[in-house]
Amino acid sequence: MRAIDLYAGIGGWGLGLRLAGADLVASYERWKPAIDTHNGNLGGDIEPVDIRKLDLSSLPQDIDLVVGSPPCTEFSYANRGGSGNIAEGLKDLVKFFEVVDYLKPKFWAMENVPRVAEVLRHGFSTSDHALYRFRHFNPEIAIIDFSEFGTPQARRRCIATNIPLKYLLAYRERVDGRTLGDVISATSSNGNVIDPVWGVSIAAEKLTETEAEAPLNSEELRMNREAKEFHPVYNNMAFPDPMDEAARTVTATCTRVSRESIVIRDPNAREQFRRLTIRERASLQGFPITYQFYARSFSEKAKMIGNAIPPTFTYLLALVAQGQKAEDFHGFKAAAGDLALPAKPAPKTSPDGEGKTYPLSRSFRAAIPGLRFKSGMRFELANITSGKTAEWRMRFFFGPSKDIREIELLGEVTEEIQHNPLFSSVLNDFKGELTKIAQFLAGTTPTKLQLAWAHKVDGINPYEVVDRLGSLASDLHDRLTARLDADDLPTVGAYILSVASGSNPSARAVGQSKLERYALPILAGLVIGEWFNSLVWHCEQKAAA
């Protein structure tokens, strides 16, 4: 079967096709590091080409299979919250289908992010859409999870193809699932390293891309944990990533502190946590341990791997295209004999290091422990920087994730409840606790707190302030709970709703049921937030200036 690969990347399509016995006649790609990796592993001498400008008449003839993964950036929800330039992304989809229409192969297949399934269905059925002229392809369009096809990673992608997917789906019962732990264990072997998917074996000293980053420091660890376990809007993630299941999606871009980064407990230092090596990322993407990555930096290698399509999946799809039935599949190890290290080793690249210092304008936002209620409702501490100064404020957000509102914590709530016999005695008894936190804050200033956050000086860290405020709110909540009985709680709920309604008390508050459910901790948060925001501590640097 003669095949060509459009938007070839580092060879995720090409490797799978070749291992399945297809003849990869030509590949097309524009990014030089990806091309170097493609050439270094699969041979050939492809040169960078702008596929959008590809002359159709220059394409090889008698092609049986056209495959490709057009750039997904403009369609990804990770790009500006899904606000990418769809019209720009469509240019690559159109070019792919132009090639298919011109060559008229027996089979074709396109891979992209799940959102493209909607784009294709809409385009093929809408007369004024750029894709409408290709509606005669009438493809099967499905969202496939590659972990069901032997990839040790839960990676959901759109597959559009005229290859009968029912034959592909039959392979799910024939492949062995692999986990994140399988990959970590295999690639950390000190003897012969056996690929967890393909079964190929090489000596440990010949395994490349095993350089590990420095473990996450305490600040990075806190930020990663908070982003995954306590994100104010998105669903919770496990932290660290579980070893007994397929990994989360390996992304093209991530930093030492990000919700997307896969973080593991280091098997060689159980009290430390780290991100993945390049080799671990590649194995999770289904690339064999023999594959080399010819790029100039750790970030370039991570990008090329994160953008790739797993060759585990393309291998199976190529088998289906060539008529092999699932019952005749004998595992990925059947192809291990065709895997070997390239003659040219890949350049060594140092992993990213931890940040030593940051700009003075480094932003900070953290939800207060005990006062984070999910779906966007939370109390948080945040900074506002200007030049060499910084202001720190507590804020309260509420309402559904698509309609977040804010209550400014200016002291009005505290002033009102001080005159309420239900709460006044509790607040009077609580003044001693407030004084302790004020004394703690006297050990810094707003500007010094910002300097510590930028790692310019040692001193009190903003997370220490967040934790103190959280403990303070928890203590106040407990005291209010002890003071009030069940008959008082509706009064608290009604009061919180009136605060949330603002200038229109007759209107139904946004997110009313949740405000009522958490009325008592919200009340405690309002008091602590207004107390913090009114502290003379905020004015000390202005007086000094």
Side-chain angles (χ1 to χ4, degrees):
M1 177 169 279
R2 287 166 53 83
I4 67 168
D5 178 8
L6 302 170
Y7 307 97
I10 61 175
W13 279 109
L15 177 62
L17 267 59
R18 283 200 173 174
L19 291 177
D23 179 11
L24 187 61
V25 176
S27 297
Y28 302 88
E29 172 58 44
R30 65 181 302 172
W31 189 35
K32 189 61 165 60
I35 290 171
D36 291 342
T37 297
H38 193 288
N39 288 341
N41 288 279
L42 301 179
D45 54 359
I46 65 174
E47 294 289 337
V49 59
D50 184 347
I51 300 174
R52 291 182 180 181
K53 299 178 180 178
L54 189 63
D55 182 359
L56 298 179
S57 65
S58 69
L59 293 167
Q61 298 300 304
D62 300 321
I63 296 300
D64 304 299
L65 175 63
V66 174
V67 298
S69 301
C72 66
T73 304
E74 303 300 344
F75 301 111
S76 174
Y77 283 109
N79 180 18
R80 300 191 298 276
S83 300
N85 189 335
I86 299 296
E88 186 66 19
L90 275 172
K91 294 178 182 177
D92 293 296
L93 301 187
V94 167
K95 189 64 180 186
F96 178 89
F97 287 119
E98 284 181 345
V99 172
V100 173
D101 211 22
Y102 179 78
L103 292 177
K104 295 179 173 51
K106 180 179 181 181
F107 292 120
W108 62 269
M110 171 197 287
E111 176 256 0
N112 218 293
V113 293
R115 190 183 185 187
V116 170
E118 306 169 20
V119 174
L120 294 175
R121 292 187 182 108
H122 176 68
F124 292 146
S125 62
T126 305
S127 60
D128 60 349
H129 197 279
L131 295 176
Y132 186 70
R133 62 189 170 107
F134 304 113
R135 64 192 182 281
H136 57 279
F137 290 149
N138 192 29
E140 290 190 57
I141 302 172
I143 305 299
I144 299 291
D145 186 340
F146 292 155
S147 68
E148 297 179 352
F149 297 90
T151 309
Q153 173 196 177
R155 189 180 188 87
R156 298 176 70 251
R157 286 296 186 265
C158 166
I159 300 296
T161 183
N162 68 341
I163 299 172
L165 289 181
K166 66 178 182 179
Y167 298 119
L168 173 70
L169 297 178
Y171 277 78
R172 290 183 299 186
E173 306 301 321
R174 308 289 296 184
V175 300
D176 294 325
R178 291 289 181 262
T179 67
L180 172 59
D182 292 335
V183 167
I184 302 302
S185 176
T187 55
S188 60
S189 173
N190 293 322
N192 277 353
V193 179
I194 301 174
D195 191 285
V197 175
W198 299 96
V200 63
S201 175
I202 61 174
E205 60 268 21
K206 293 186 177 181
L207 186 68
T208 60
E209 311 293 1
T210 60
E211 297 80 10
E213 288 183 342
L216 299 175
N217 61 38
S218 59
E219 181 182 286
E220 294 168 332
L221 186 60
R222 171 73 179 259
M223 294 174 73
N224 274 293
R225 188 186 297 275
E226 297 260 330
K228 292 176 172 61
E229 293 186 337
F230 300 109
H231 196 281
V233 177
Y234 302 121
N235 292 332
N236 289 354
M237 293 179 176
F239 185 90
D241 284 78
M243 293 288 194
D244 59 351
E245 56 189 57
R248 291 185 294 106
T249 300
V250 174
T251 57
T253 57
C254 59
T255 61
R256 283 177 62 87
V257 175
S258 76
R259 182 173 161 84
E260 292 73 25
S261 288
I262 296 174
V263 176
I264 63 170
R265 189 186 297 274
D266 194 330
N268 298 316
R270 296 294 295 170
E271 299 307 312
Q272 295 182 344
F273 299 82
R274 65 171 175 85
R275 296 199 305 157
L276 301 179
T277 66
I278 292 298
R279 179 55 59 194
E280 289 163 347
R281 293 166 193 253
S283 290
L284 290 175
Q285 277 283 53
F287 284 91
I289 56 176
T290 53
Y291 218 76
Q292 302 298 294
F293 303 95
Y294 301 92
R296 298 165 295 180
S297 67
F298 181 95
S299 60
E300 272 193 351
K301 290 177 179 179
K303 178 180 177 180
M304 62 170 58
I305 292 169
N307 280 334
I309 182 172
T312 41
F313 177 79
T314 62
Y315 174 69
L316 297 180
L317 195 66
L319 291 179
V320 174
Q322 295 177 104
Q324 179 170 306
K325 297 293 192 294
E327 54 265 30
D328 297 323
F329 177 66
H330 299 294
F332 294 101
K333 295 179 181 179
D338 294 323
L339 296 171
L341 284 166
K344 178 184 176 183
K348 282 190 175 183
T349 50
S350 300
D352 294 344
E354 61 181 289
K356 299 300 183 182
T357 62
Y358 296 89
L360 284 173
S361 59
R362 187 186 186 194
S363 63
F364 180 89
R365 291 182 67 178
I368 307 297
L371 297 176
R372 41 198 178 197
F373 311 103
K374 299 304 294 179
S375 299
M377 191 166 85
R378 80 275 186 192
F379 287 83
E380 70 173 29
L381 178 68
N383 63 354
I384 303 172
T385 60
S386 176
K388 295 182 179 181
T389 64
E391 295 182 20
W392 298 83
R393 290 290 182 268
M394 267 187 71
R395 301 188 293 177
F396 176 54
F397 298 95
F398 68 100
S401 58
K402 294 184 179 180
D403 187 17
I404 297 292
R405 310 289 180 88
E406 179 182 356
I407 294 178
E408 293 190 10
L409 307 179
L410 302 177
E412 297 174 1
V413 172
T414 307
E415 185 175 344
E416 287 183 11
I417 67 173
Q418 281 176 337
H419 297 92
N420 187 314
L422 274 178
F423 313 123
S424 57
S425 62
V426 174
L427 292 185
N428 288 333
D429 293 342
F430 200 64
K431 289 180 180 178
E433 301 305 317
L434 297 176
T435 299
K436 292 178 184 177
I437 304 301
Q439 292 171 343
F440 164 75
L441 288 171
T444 185
T445 67
T447 294
K448 286 181 180 178
L449 191 63
Q450 181 65 30
L451 289 170
W453 179 235
H455 293 194
K456 306 295 185 186
V457 300
D458 294 328
I460 293 173
N461 183 283
Y463 277 114
E464 295 180 70
V465 179
V466 164
D467 290 340
R468 295 285 184 122
L469 293 172
S471 296
L472 202 59
S474 177
D475 190 356
L476 179 56
H477 174 260
D478 290 344
R479 296 190 187 204
L480 288 169
T481 301
R483 171 67 177 80
L484 304 176
D485 57 38
D487 294 337
D488 296 322
L489 296 182
T491 302
V492 178
Y495 179 69
I496 294 300
L497 292 180
S498 70
V499 173
S501 298
S503 59
N504 188 9
S506 62
R508 179 179 174 86
V510 174
Q512 177 170 329
S513 61
K514 198 166 188 179
L515 289 167
E516 291 176 314
R517 190 186 325 146
Y518 296 107
L520 207 53
I522 290 172
L523 181 64
L526 291 173
V527 171
I528 299 305
E530 291 190 339
W531 167 82
F532 176 80
N533 289 348
S534 65
L535 280 173
V536 69
W537 177 79
H538 298 286
C539 305
E540 289 180 357
Q541 66 183 19
K542 296 178 181 178

